[in-house]
Amino acid sequence: MQALTTKGITKRYGTHTALEGVDITVPTQSIYGLLGPNGAGKTTLIRIINQIINADEGDIMVFGEKLTPRHVEVIGYLPEERGLYKRLKVGEQLLYLAQLKGLSRSEALNRIRTWLDRFQIRDWAQKKVEDLSKGMAQKVQFISTVLHEPRLIILDEPFSGFDPVNAELITQEILRLKENGSTIIFSTHRMETVESLCDQIALINKSKKILEGSKKEVKQQFKTNSYRVEHRGAFQLQTGNYHVVKQKPLEEDHFESTIKMEDNSSPNLLLQELINRTEVFRFEQHLPTMSEIFIRLVKAEGDEALLKHLQES
Amino acid sequence: MNKVWLIIQREFLNRVQKKSFLITTILVPLIFPAIIGGLVFFMVKEAESAKPDVVEVLDETGRFQFEDTRRFTIVNVSGPIEVAKKAYQMTKHFGLLHIPATDINNPTGITFYSRESQSIEKISELKRTINDKVKDFKMEQYNVDKETLKSIRSTDVGIAEISLSDSGEEKSSNTGILYGTGMALGILIYMFVLIYGIQIMQGVIDEKTSKVVEVIVSSVKPFQLMLGKIVGIASVGLVQFLIWIILITTVTSSVLGYFGMKMPQQQAMEQVTKNMDEETAQDVMKQAPTTPQSPEFLNNLSQIPFVKVALIFLFYFLGGYLLYGALFAAVGSAVDSIQESQQFQFPITLPLLIGYMGLFMFVLRDPHGTVSFWLSIIPFTSPVAMVGRIAYEVPLWQLLLSMALLILGFILTTWIAGRIYRVGILMTGTKVNYKVLVKWFLQKN
């Protein structure tokens, strides 16, 4: 069963199209990365899934059921713009938010205690949010997102604004929640976060989904059949089957070469070729990073302005 | 529904648990009697300690013989005026009144010299004294004797007011009490709507700027949040109001009791009972055949059907608040700060202000006039205007029409506000004008 599927989600604001025919499929118990530059439509899609706004067209299924208002209880949402009631005490705040998600008072109080202990912040329960540091408030906000043990957790840009210590804490929590059976969707415009954390990814650009799949599939799909070799001493290799695309010196007399291979060859043959010419320390298939894939896709669409922005960042 | 209830509770507790709520709720009933008591104290003190002003009179006709009054001590001086003026300047006397040799039936050229410009009150009292004298001269010319004169002077006609209902039932009425009731109720509604409406707006702006709103609307519909907030704040208002009434009544009566005085109502009632002699008692009986035993004042109070007035007041109190509260919520959702809200607040407070000014200019002066009628029918002004009228007999059909329109009115404003609110709360940093508001309103859900 899929945790979430959307079909043909379209949202227009006047003449501006925020989303156009977006289909995504999020497998249960996966970490799903929703990637794309700012303004691509990620937040709009997330708000639609959270029923904060309605789509103009399209259907959404959550754990095999059509999305309805009662599903707010199985979804946990951390918006990009974080916020809590400043004048409210941490404990009251968490209780209120949990009750709005349908938890009973006693159940909520129990879980608040557990979570405050887990994050070792039990003393904060009586503090007002306005007296907390930014990092402390972020922890409280994260707890409020997962307190009702949602099966589907949606985090909009979860790592922006978190300090490195908290970001690591959140990463560990995300992995733990996944182990316990939750499905996590998070959006980001920073491609490097995806590499380590995601099982599944979707790329959204200019209101359309342009790519979706498991991280492995996507990388295979975009592999360029090139290999990275660390070796001693420079060499030339420009045969019919192999081209050295790039050769850069490492320390001492070590070099790293990127070699592109034609389809009618194989890694073993390339290795044999290399052994004759140099001493090989490392040999690996070079898979593209998400941001390389993304840049390639954008290049194909000819979006010059965006391309420039991506390459600079 | 359960979630709206949670929001109502939260909004209520947020405000009631604040120190400022406790302080205002307790201090206001203490401060008001203190201020009023203080003012009365100084007024009495001043009245007691005030010495009469000395007025020098140079009367060249020789006919005016002023007596000392509570305010003025008369000193007759001799002329000519130039000498008198010089002499006056040597003294510390209040002023110099010069009456030249003139026709006493139609005196001209009367002048009052004084060091500073004097209060209207004192000058008009002086004028009245002179006028009375001139009237006396004229009366004397027509051979009216002193006794008759005194009796003419002391005439003071009272008018018994009786309102005749459609069924022919007679009720004695006292316009003063009705006026006071109408004014007090109208002002209360105006203040309540304005103060708590702005609290709603502030609350919405706080939620929006702290960004907590997005978390909340992922759990509840924006409309539920808006409704919960409006009702929650209304309950704060009602509770505060109730506490004030109880506290003010207790504090005032105990303070007055301490000084051996009675509550104004009690005092007045006892006054009436004590002063009533046989004759007036019979008058009252004639005036008010329906309740022959009760003294007039009690009768006047009882002519206001308290339960009915209280219920109607409560209806307009809440109706007006809900009508405007929703609009204040919409304004709060559209802006990022209280400063920005000014431009949108104006068109909301304007009809409220029209109702308020209409209360004084039309409703209280002429409760059954055309303008008063319309002010009390149109939902935007009716909460203030209708409670101004209810103490007077308002035809039932008008009351029902006005109530029905008010209900329709607040459903309409809540609907409009809800549509703006659901878009507005998620929009930060947008430059908002009326065109944008219309766009939000029309936007599909």
Side-chain angles (χ1 to χ4, degrees):
Chain A
M1 189 174 52
Q2 310 296 352
L4 175 84
T5 52
T6 73
K7 277 216 172 60
I9 298 296
T10 299
K11 178 76 184 174
R12 292 186 195 87
Y13 293 107
T15 53
H16 169 71
T17 304
L19 287 174
E20 199 179 338
V22 173
D23 306 331
I24 62 168
T25 305
V26 182
T28 302
Q29 217 180 343
S30 65
I31 298 180
Y32 188 99
L34 204 54
L35 320 179
N38 289 326
K42 299 186 301 289
T43 297
T44 305
L45 181 61
I46 285 175
R47 281 181 176 174
I48 288 171
I49 297 169
N50 275 299
Q51 304 177 81
I52 292 170
I53 50 179
N54 291 346
D56 297 340
E57 293 160 30
D59 295 310
I60 298 175
M61 305 285 278
V62 179
F63 298 105
E65 297 169 67
K66 200 167 161 36
L67 184 70
T68 61
R70 65 184 177 81
H71 283 115
V72 298
E73 295 176 11
V74 300
I75 300 178
Y77 173 44
L78 179 75
E80 181 178 4
E81 302 270 19
R82 313 287 148 67
L84 296 165
Y85 287 102
K86 291 196 179 67
R87 305 259 166 81
L88 225 50
K89 287 175 188 156
V90 170
E92 287 175 337
Q93 182 120 222
L94 290 172
L95 178 64
Y96 180 50
L97 295 176
Q99 284 184 305
L100 285 182
K101 283 285 188 187
L103 278 191
S104 73
R105 191 186 159 84
S106 55
E107 182 68 48
L109 287 172
N110 264 331
R111 294 197 195 165
I112 290 167
R113 227 167 288 136
T114 314
W115 273 98
L116 291 181
D117 283 345
R118 189 200 302 289
F119 281 9
Q120 294 164 354
I121 52 175
R122 196 160 185 177
D123 323 339
W124 298 359
Q126 295 304 314
K127 277 194 185 173
K128 284 184 182 173
V129 169
E130 61 187 351
D131 299 329
L132 300 183
S133 73
K134 208 175 159 200
M136 292 155 102
Q138 285 169 347
K139 280 185 187 167
V140 175
Q141 183 111 43
F142 183 79
I143 294 175
S144 77
T145 308
V146 296
L147 200 58
H148 56 294
E149 293 180 358
R151 291 156 74 197
L152 179 61
I153 300 168
I154 302 176
L155 313 169
D156 197 356
E157 299 282 354
F159 298 107
S160 73
F162 276 88
D163 61 59
V165 179
N166 273 345
E168 180 53 30
L169 184 72
I170 301 303
T171 308
Q172 292 312 315
E173 283 303 324
I174 288 175
L175 291 170
R176 200 183 61 83
L177 287 162
K178 182 199 157 189
E179 284 311 305
N180 292 349
S182 294
T183 307
I184 293 115
I185 300 177
F186 72 83
S187 79
T188 181
H189 67 280
R190 299 208 326 240
M191 309 295 167
E192 66 273 22
T193 24
V194 184
E195 301 282 355
S196 52
L197 212 52
C198 289
D199 312 315
Q200 299 277 321
I201 58 122
L203 277 179
I204 292 184
N205 188 36
K206 291 199 286 185
S207 70
K208 287 183 189 149
K209 185 192 81 179
I210 53 176
L211 180 72
E212 187 185 24
S214 76
K215 191 167 65 181
K216 213 171 155 194
E217 278 165 24
V218 169
K219 290 206 169 185
Q220 285 298 326
Q221 189 187 333
F222 283 86
K223 71 177 182 199
T224 48
N225 232 2
S226 47
Y227 292 83
R228 282 218 173 121
V229 186
E230 190 183 334
H231 54 87
R232 186 183 312 228
F235 64 87
Q236 293 287 319
L237 181 64
Q238 297 292 347
T239 66
N241 283 338
Y242 316 107
H243 315 272
V244 174
V245 184
K246 203 164 71 181
Q247 197 164 65
K248 66 174 182 192
L250 301 173
E251 52 205 30
E252 312 237 323
D253 56 348
H254 283 214
F255 286 82
E256 186 189 79
S257 297
T258 307
I259 301 167
K260 197 163 168 14
M261 184 177 78
E262 293 305 319
D263 287 343
N264 52 11
S265 186
S266 77
N268 278 6
L269 291 174
L270 172 59
L271 201 51
Q272 277 173 4
E273 187 76 39
L274 289 172
I275 287 165
N276 295 333
R277 292 165 195 262
T278 180
E279 193 175 352
V280 176
F281 294 97
R282 175 160 59 83
F283 180 85
E284 66 185 9
Q285 186 180 26
H286 170 58
L287 287 174
T289 63
M290 285 319 300
S291 75
E292 282 168 335
I293 293 173
F294 193 65
I295 287 172
R296 264 177 62 192
L297 284 168
V298 170
K299 224 178 221 167
E301 285 189 5
D303 189 338
E304 290 302 325
L306 179 60
L307 195 62
K308 198 157 171 264
H309 166 77
L310 281 170
Q311 278 166 341
E312 278 166 7
S313 68
Chain B
M1 230 29 238
N2 187 24
K3 290 185 177 173
V4 178
W5 177 236
L6 277 173
I7 297 168
I8 293 172
Q9 280 181 315
R10 191 68 262 161
E11 293 293 335
F12 179 78
L13 290 176
N14 276 356
R15 288 172 173 75
V16 172
Q17 287 172 341
K18 265 200 287 195
K19 278 198 197 80
S20 59
F21 176 83
L22 206 66
I23 293 170
T24 41
T25 308
I26 291 178
L27 282 190
V28 167
L30 294 178
I31 285 174
F32 269 104
I35 291 175
I36 292 169
L39 286 177
V40 170
F41 178 78
F42 283 112
M43 255 165 61
V44 171
K45 257 278 151 73
E46 195 171 83
E48 275 172 358
S49 64
K51 283 186 203 135
D53 294 313
V54 181
V55 176
E56 296 182 4
V57 177
L58 172 58
D59 177 16
E60 292 178 16
T61 64
R63 295 288 307 275
F64 290 86
Q65 271 144 19
F66 297 108
E67 293 100 33
D68 291 350
T69 66
R70 199 169 52 80
R71 235 178 218 159
F72 301 120
T73 306
I74 305 297
V75 176
N76 286 306
V77 294
S78 51
I81 182 64
E82 292 309 320
V83 178
K85 272 201 273 186
K86 285 229 171 68
Y88 161 68
Q89 278 179 318
M90 306 291 284
T91 68
K92 281 181 177 171
H93 291 162
F94 174 65
L96 168 64
L97 182 68
H98 177 220
I99 302 171
T102 177
D103 174 9
I104 54 161
N105 288 323
N106 187 19
T108 51
I110 297 179
T111 316
F112 184 69
Y113 300 94
S114 67
R115 265 178 211 91
E116 303 125 13
S117 303
Q118 294 304 329
S119 78
I120 288 184
E121 214 181 328
K122 285 179 179 170
I123 297 298
S124 45
E125 173 143 346
L126 208 58
K127 249 191 212 164
R128 201 164 48 239
T129 320
I130 299 169
N131 274 332
D132 281 350
K133 278 281 175 203
V134 173
K135 268 186 212 154
D136 287 358
F137 295 148
K138 287 182 180 170
M139 294 287 191
E140 271 166 31
Q141 278 184 347
Y142 296 116
N143 294 323
V144 181
D145 67 58
K146 280 262 157 90
E147 276 307 301
T148 322
L149 208 61
K150 203 179 160 194
S151 123
I152 289 172
R153 280 263 196 84
S154 64
T155 309
D156 186 8
V157 180
I159 297 180
E161 298 161 55
I162 293 178
S163 60
L164 207 55
S165 75
D166 290 341
S167 57
E169 193 188 348
E170 288 186 14
K171 277 183 187 168
S172 107
S173 58
N174 182 321
T175 327
I177 293 173
L178 300 184
Y179 189 97
T181 311
M183 184 169 77
L185 297 185
I187 292 174
L188 270 179
I189 287 196
Y190 173 78
M191 280 174 37
F192 181 81
V193 169
L194 209 59
I195 291 171
Y196 287 96
I198 286 174
Q199 279 211 24
I200 294 175
M201 191 177 76
Q202 181 68 57
V204 174
I205 293 174
D206 283 350
E207 261 172 6
K208 194 183 167 184
T209 50
S210 74
K211 317 275 169 138
V212 74
V213 71
E214 192 162 350
V215 178
I216 305 291
V217 295
S218 73
S219 306
V220 300
K221 294 261 158 256
F223 190 73
Q224 294 177 308
L225 177 59
M226 186 178 95
L227 218 57
K229 189 176 277 299
I230 292 173
V231 176
I233 292 176
S235 49
V236 176
L238 284 176
V239 166
Q240 191 165 50
F241 199 65
L242 212 67
I243 297 176
W244 280 350
I245 290 177
I246 294 168
L247 278 182
I248 289 179
T249 318
T250 348
V251 170
T252 318
S253 57
S254 58
V255 165
L256 291 179
Y258 181 78
F259 289 112
M261 288 192 262
K262 299 229 165 68
M263 288 289 281
Q265 301 98 300
Q266 281 173 298
Q267 228 172 354
M269 267 183 247
E270 282 183 12
Q271 204 76 27
V272 171
T273 342
K274 206 165 62 189
N275 289 355
M276 234 181 7
D277 52 23
E278 276 301 295
E279 206 180 328
T280 44
Q282 273 169 9
D283 277 356
V284 169
M285 267 150 71
K286 271 181 230 151
Q287 275 177 18
T290 43
T291 49
Q293 270 87 36
S294 62
E296 191 182 0
F297 193 88
L298 273 180
N299 193 21
N300 282 330
L301 276 180
S302 69
Q303 70 173 295
I304 303 177
F306 274 112
V307 177
K308 187 180 151 202
V309 168
L311 288 179
I312 292 173
F313 172 72
L314 202 67
F315 176 85
Y316 281 96
F317 193 74
L318 289 175
Y321 167 81
L322 291 175
L323 180 104
Y324 281 102
L327 293 176
F328 276 111
V331 169
S333 76
V335 300
D336 292 338
S337 66
I338 202 105
Q339 289 83 2
E340 269 181 71
S341 68
Q342 300 295 343
Q343 53 160 333
F344 300 116
Q345 257 189 66
F346 178 67
I348 297 179
T349 43
L350 191 65
L352 194 59
L353 200 64
I354 290 174
Y356 184 68
M357 296 200 304
L359 177 72
F360 290 96
M361 289 166 67
F362 299 101
V363 177
L364 293 174
R365 287 186 183 175
D366 181 10
H368 302 298
T370 317
V371 179
S372 304
F373 167 75
W374 284 110
L375 285 176
S376 63
I377 292 297
I378 298 168
F380 287 93
T381 50
S382 69
V384 175
M386 188 54 101
V387 297
R389 285 182 71 196
I390 42 172
Y392 304 88
E393 293 286 301
V394 180
L396 189 65
W397 69 270
Q398 291 186 12
L399 195 61
L400 291 180
L401 176 66
S402 161
M403 284 175 144
L405 284 177
L406 184 59
I407 292 173
L408 282 181
F410 83 66
I411 291 173
L412 183 77
T413 58
T414 310
W415 178 67
I416 293 173
R419 290 189 67 90
I420 293 174
Y421 180 86
R422 84 210 143 113
V423 182
I425 43 169
L426 294 173
M427 297 279 181
T428 38
T430 343
K431 190 94 188 103
V432 180
N433 51 39
Y434 288 101
K435 230 174 99 186
V436 175
L437 289 186
V438 172
K439 213 174 89 189
W440 289 357
F441 172 71
L442 294 174
Q443 202 172 96
K444 276 181 292 175
N445 207 351

